[in-house]
């Protein structure tokens, strides 16, 4: 490290050029850290487990006609007919469908009169076989049986027949031991419901919602003029299953069907925005690393051009090629480190602003380290070529007049 | 101590320096680059500045050419005191009164001869026609008419210096400042350049020329020696 | 003189092609990134009804459950953005604003009368009232809006969007032709011209950047036909409401209708709110509206802000891109330092032959302008390319968001020139400070 002192002295004398590079690195670092963090968050969002047997599910909305009794009868007649199909393993009516961007939700409290709420959660109400049909994994308590199923023209939450919730919601309610939630009463807005079971995962209807993993299941078929039906197929020909099911439901002449979709498409559609943002952020991170490298590369290259004579003199005075390379690599490392230190400060400030203005989550400290390493390596790679070129300058440069 | 170099009046007194001196001040030391001196140069004179390296020749030339400010004394150029003039006025004086000729020609490689010579005229308010006319006249004077579209690197060293002289002449300056104009040339080319300079001097333009070559100095007619920052007039007869 | 400087600048750029390329490319990339994000954001935040947005208000009432609030927003209790059927029709009957409209939703199988039954498609409709069109400056290609009497009778008439008219009637003047909506015959009275308010502020957030619905029918006709669909709009209920048919919904306290008014001037806002509050008091006397009264009117900008229509990611992206641009410009700046430093000999020479510092500054300024122009031009191409890619990647948003208008294009070039000249100032200053004598020495 005997080079360090002269390097710092010459940097202090040159001032502007290294300062610019340092600033550039600092700004880049700031963006990079925040962008990488958002990138990983987006990636978590996109890859959030749905808990569903996605590949075996499709869904649609269909109209019901006639008086309320006729509507109810026709719904259950059709559901039974669908379930009887060979290509179908299960079918349920559900108040909302995962990834459909439409649904209902409640504020969840542990006390009826609590000020504020613990969290908000989406609400799935439907046939008692919902868990089996969706493919959810029950990890505590009990599921619904045919005796639990009610068939109403409203949500029917006033009767405390019990709900099943997701594990993350249970953890939110009972952070110490989520299993405590079994048998406890929770409040969906003002309605009290005992928790009878917990499922490992279930995605909510709104993919973009921050509470998308907080969900509540209820066993009531809520009959409205238009109902959503979720079907799990038997076998692997989803197109045939869909055709079979349509043949059944279209026997009702007034029937209209909307949104006939396989679940994998719904998921893809739901995450389009996130996937798009994800690709954009990736481009940003890549672009930043490139620009930094370009900056370091250009800077070093031209710094060397300016100092040909000096380098020649050093060589003439006995500096080895390794020593020259070392000199520029260390010089670059010093600038890089200063830039990164400045960048850490900027990144923290910028992140605080982002948190304050956009309600983003704060960047964990570890990302500062990640960002630092990326920038440092990019800088190192970029300096190598010009430094090696510098080392190849002939000692004769020293005596050549410019 | 103040040295006086007697005036060798031949005509109008166009460069007059009184007690001019130059010192450089750094944090720790003050270096006296030029000791205080008086100097008068008249119109039509050809003065050679001689002296060893590092004696202060270039500093003197820079001061005379308004490229550097002197630190003491008065400098009158064409009767005008230039002490304390703004950058703009000094630039305009350089442009109109002084023509520079450098050892390494200092032509701009990406410009052709015409554009190189035209450069000083660009900083004046001449019409395009006048500029073209003056450039062509200057090119003719140095014997390179018809090469106006060539680029410097297509010419020999001697020809390049001729272009540089043409550039210096294009603005019809009161005097030329030449810093070792033949330093980069072989002797044959150097003789040609000297002949050209003498010719220009014959037509009335004063010339102030730094040189190492005592032969050239003798051709100048008047020699000033600078040694360790002191200016002294050399008597040609004694060294002849 | 200017021409001379531009000529010199061009020569200088050509002389150091790698350096110049790096400078121009860096600026171009930075500018392109900024303009792509800015364009999307700009298009998202445009005024959807220019000249009127401060006079259009949506009305929100505190009609919710006395026991539990509607919802919490930013730590405070919030009221619904929708209205009950009773309140919307009460206010509409009062006609207290200059203009007012009820906005509902429905979906049905739709075809032209000439098409066979099998060609009907599931279509989203917009039941509303006649002043909707004039309030939102909706342009008509053929015909005109229906009138107040059609609203009160619930006439079975329809206004088609230009696109829908192309689908159903191949773009012909279809006035008087018939459309079958959910089995019922509707007569065409109007066809809209191209109309794309961005954002589509008068409805729910999730619909803000999609195309307007293609069929508009009198709200009263949807009531007469008992139309109810819960899946293409939102219905929020309390008190165990029963949603099996329209009559149940009409009688309930469920909220589902948007209510917008146009006032003669923005100053009348307080008067109108006072009227709304009086209405709320009357309802309270009748036993409704038992919660604390937080009734409010919001103009277009306020509602867009409240509804968080503008994507947060979009704004973050603009900031990121601007920071990115600064990183790029710092890079360009150090390249300029290098470039002008390398021109020390030329500066010295020019100074010697009489160029003043100002002359030198002008010369290099022209060079930074040209670099900025070139960066801007390439940046514009990159931005247009980027926007094209973006519109492919963000296919769920309306492509109109990813299009630059002329002023944005000019802004691209302008900001590039501005950026390069501002960041060129210091390098130029340094270049002017070059001592000519230090550059001309031959010894």
């Amino acid at each position: 490290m005997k080079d360090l002192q002269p390097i710092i002295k010459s940097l202090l004398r040159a001032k502007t050029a290294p300062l610019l590079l340092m600033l550039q690195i600092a700004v880049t670092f700031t963006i990079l850290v925040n962008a990488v963090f958002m990138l990983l968050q987006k990636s978590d969002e996109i890859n959030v487990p749905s808990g569903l047997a996605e590949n075996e599910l499709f869904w649609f909305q269909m109209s019901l006609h006639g008086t309320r009794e006729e509507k109810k009868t026709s719904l259950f007649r059709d559901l039974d007919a669908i379930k009887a199909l060979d290509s179908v393993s299960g079918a349920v009516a559900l108040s909302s469908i995962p990834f459909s961007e439409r649904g209902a939700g409640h504020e969840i409290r542990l006390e009826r009169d609590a000020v504020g709420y613990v969290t908000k959660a989406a609400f799935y109400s439907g046939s008692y076989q919902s868990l089996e049909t969706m493919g959810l994994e029950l990890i505590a308590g009990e599921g619904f049986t045919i005796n639990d199923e009610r068939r109403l023209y409203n949500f029917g939450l006033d009767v405390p027949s019990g709900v099943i919730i997701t594990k993350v919601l249970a953890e939110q309610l009972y952070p110490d031991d989520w299993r405590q939630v079994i048998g406890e009463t929770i409040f969906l807005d003002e309605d009290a419901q005992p928790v009878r079971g917990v499922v490992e995962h279930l995605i909510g209807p709104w993919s973009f919602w921050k509470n998308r993993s907080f969900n509540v299941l209820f066993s009531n078929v809520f009959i409205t003029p238009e109902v959503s039906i979720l079907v799990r197929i038997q076998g692997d020909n989803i197109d045939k299953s869909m055709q079979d099911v349509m043949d059944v439901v279209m026997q009702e002449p007034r029937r209209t069907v909307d949104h006939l979709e396989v679940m994998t498409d719904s998921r893809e559609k739901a995450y389009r925005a996130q996937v798009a943002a994800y690709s954009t952020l990736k481009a940003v991170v890549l672009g930043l690393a490139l620009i930094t490298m370009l900056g370091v590369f250009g800077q070093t290259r031209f710094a060397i051009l300016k100092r040909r004579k000096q380098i020649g003199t050093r060589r003439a005075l006995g500096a080895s090629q390794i020593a020259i390379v070392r000199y520029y690599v260390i010089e670059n490392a010093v600038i890089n480190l200063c830039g990164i230190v400045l960048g850490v400060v900027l990144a923290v400030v910028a992140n605080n602003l982002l948190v304050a203005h956009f309600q983003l989550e704060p960047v964990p400290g570890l990302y500062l380290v990640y960002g630092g390493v990326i920038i440092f390596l990019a800088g190192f790679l970029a300096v190598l070529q010009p430094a090696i070129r510098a080392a190849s300058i002939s000692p004769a440069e020293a005596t050549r007049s410019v | 101590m103040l040295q006086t170099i007697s005036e060798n009046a031949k005509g109008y007194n166009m460069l007059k320096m009184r007690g001019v001196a130059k010192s450089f001040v750094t944090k720790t030391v003050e270096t006296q680059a030029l000791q205080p001196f008086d100097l008068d140069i008249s119109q039509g004179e050809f003065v050679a500045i001689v002296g060893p390296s590092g004696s202060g020749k270039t500093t003197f030339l820079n001061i005379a050419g308004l490229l550097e400010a002197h630190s003491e004394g008065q400098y009158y150029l064409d009767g005008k005191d230039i002490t304390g003039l703004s950058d703009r006025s000094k630039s305009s004086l350089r442009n109109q009164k002084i023509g520079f000729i450098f050892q390494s020609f200092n032509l701009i490689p990406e410009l052709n001869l015409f554009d190189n010579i035209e450069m000083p005229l660009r900083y004046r308010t001449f019409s395009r026609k006048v500029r073209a006319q003056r450039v062509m006249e200057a090119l003719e004077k140095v014997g390179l008419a018809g090469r106006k579209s060539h680029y410097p690197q297509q010419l020999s060293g001697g020809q390049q210096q001729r272009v540089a002289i043409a550039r210096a002449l294009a603005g019809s300056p009161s005097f030329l400042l030449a810093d070792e104009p033949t330093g980069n040339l072989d002797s044959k080319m150097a003789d040609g350049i000297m002949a050209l300079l003498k010719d220009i001097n014959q037509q009335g333009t004063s010339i102030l020329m730094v040189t190492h070559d005592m032969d050239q100095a003798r051709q100048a007619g008047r020699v000033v020696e600078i040694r360790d920052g002191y200016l002294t007039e050399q008597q040609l007869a004694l060294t002849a | 003189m200017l021409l001379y400087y531009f000529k010199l600048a061009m020569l200088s750029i050509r002389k150091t092609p790698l350096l110049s390329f790096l400078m121009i490319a860096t600026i171009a990339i930075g500018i392109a990134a900024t303009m792509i994000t800015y364009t999307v954001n700009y298009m998202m935040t445009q005024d959807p009804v220019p000249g009127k947005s401060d006079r259009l208000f949506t009305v929100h009432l505190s009609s919710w459950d006395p026991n539990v609030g509607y919802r919490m927003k930013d730590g405070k209790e919030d009221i619904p953005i929708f209205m009950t059927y009773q309140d919307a029709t009460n206010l509409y009957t009062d006609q207290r604003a200059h203009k007012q409209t009820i906005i509902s939703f429905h979906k049905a199988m739709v075809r032209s009368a000439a098409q066979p039954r099998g060609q009907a498609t599931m279509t989203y409709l917009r039941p509303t009232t006649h002043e909707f069109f004039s309030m939102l400056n909706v342009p008509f290609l053929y015909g005109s809006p229906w009138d107040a009497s059609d609203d009160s009778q619930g006439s079975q008439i329809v206004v088609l969007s230009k696109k829908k008219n192309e689908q159903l009637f191949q773009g012909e003047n279809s006035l008087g032709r018939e459309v079958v909506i959910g089995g019922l015959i509707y007569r065409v009275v109007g066809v809209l011209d191209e109309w794309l308010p961005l954002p589509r502020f008068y409805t729910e957030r999730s619909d803000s950047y999609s195309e307007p619905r293609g069929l508009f029918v009198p709200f009263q006709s949807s009531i007469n036909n008992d139309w109810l669909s819960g899946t293409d709009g939102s219905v929020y209920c309390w008190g165990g409401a029963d949603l099996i048919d329209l009559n149940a919904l009409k009688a309930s306290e469920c909220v589902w209708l948007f209510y917008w008014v146009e006032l003669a001037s923005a100053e009348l806002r307080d008067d109108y709110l006072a009227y709304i509050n009086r209405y709320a008091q009357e309802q309270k006397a009748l036993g409704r509206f038992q919660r604390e009264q937080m009734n409010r009117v919001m103009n277009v900008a306020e509602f867009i802000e409240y509804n968080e229509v503008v994507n947060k990611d979009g704004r973050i992206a603009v900031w990121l891109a601007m920071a990115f641009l600064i990183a790029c410009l710092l890079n360009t700046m150090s390249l300029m330092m290098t470039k002008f430093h390398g021109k020390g000999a030329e500066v010295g020479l020019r100074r010697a032959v009489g160029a003043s510092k100002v002359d030198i500054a002008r010369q290099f300024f022209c060079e930074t302008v040209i670099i900025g122009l070139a960066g801007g031009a390439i940046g514009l191409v990159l931005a247009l390319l980027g926007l094209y890619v973006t519109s492919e990647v963000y296919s769920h948003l309306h492509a109109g968001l990813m299009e630059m208008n002329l002023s944005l294009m000019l802004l691209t070039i302008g900001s590039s020139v501005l950026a390069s000249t501002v960041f060129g100032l210091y390098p130029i200053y340094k270049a002017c400070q070059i001592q000519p004598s230090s550059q001309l020495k031959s010894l």
Side-chain angles (χ1 to χ4, degrees), chain A residues 21 24 28 285-297, chain C residues 25-27 29-30 324 327-329 331:
Chain A
L21 187 59
Q24 191 196 331
T28 309
V285 170
L286 207 69
L288 279 173
L290 270 177
I291 286 284
T292 315
M293 291 178 75
L294 218 64
V296 171
F297 176 80
Chain C
T26 339
I27 293 186
I29 292 170
F324 179 64
C328 291
L329 286 171
N331 193 8

Side-chain angles (χ1 to χ4, degrees), chain A residues 16-17 20 23-24 27-28 31 34-35 38 42 61 68 71 102 107 109 116-117 120 153-155 189-190 208 222-226 228 256-259 272-273 275-277 279-281 284 287-288 291 294-295 298-299 301-302 306 354 358-360, chain C residues 18-19 22 26 29 65 67-72 107 109 122 124 204-207 228-234 239-245 248 312-313 315-316 319-320 323-324 326-328 330-331 333-335 337-338 341 393-396 426 430:
Chain A
T16 336
L20 281 175
L23 276 177
Q24 191 196 331
V27 173
T28 309
I31 314 170
N34 283 288
M38 282 192 265
K42 288 276 177 228
Q61 293 174 344
R68 42 182 68 195
K71 283 175 179 145
R102 288 218 165 266
E107 293 169 355
R109 292 176 177 78
Y117 49 86
K120 291 182 182 179
Y153 301 103
N154 56 41
F155 275 124
D189 291 340
E190 73 266 45
F208 55 86
F222 181 7
I223 301 156
T224 52
E226 190 171 36
S228 300
T256 60
V257 166
D258 195 9
H259 286 295
R272 246 179 337 202
V275 170
S279 344
T280 312
L281 279 171
V284 166
L288 279 173
I291 286 284
L294 218 64
Q299 186 89 56
R301 204 182 146 106
F302 294 115
K306 266 196 287 195
L354 284 176
F358 297 110
Q359 289 84 43
L360 291 187
Chain C
L18 178 67
L19 202 54
L22 284 180
T26 339
I29 292 170
D65 187 352
N67 298 316
V68 182
Y70 171 66
R71 65 166 186 169
M72 302 290 281
K107 64 177 186 182
M109 300 302 281
M122 178 60 79
Y124 288 28
E204 288 182 77
R205 175 168 80 173
S206 52
D207 294 333
L228 172 62
S229 64
T231 49
D232 65 315
S234 293
D242 175 342
L243 290 182
I244 192 61
D245 54 37
K312 197 172 67 175
D313 284 355
R315 266 185 301 166
I316 296 174
W319 285 109
L320 276 181
F324 179 64
I326 288 179
C328 291
L330 286 168
N331 193 8
M333 188 166 161
S334 51
L335 293 174
M337 296 285 286
T338 314
H341 182 93
V393 177
Y394 288 77
S395 54
H396 57 289
Y426 185 71
K430 290 292 277 189

Side-chain angles (χ1 to χ4, degrees), chain A residues 359-371:
Chain A
Q359 289 84 43
L360 291 187
E361 281 174 56
V363 171
L366 197 58
Y367 285 83
L368 298 176
V369 180
Y370 291 163

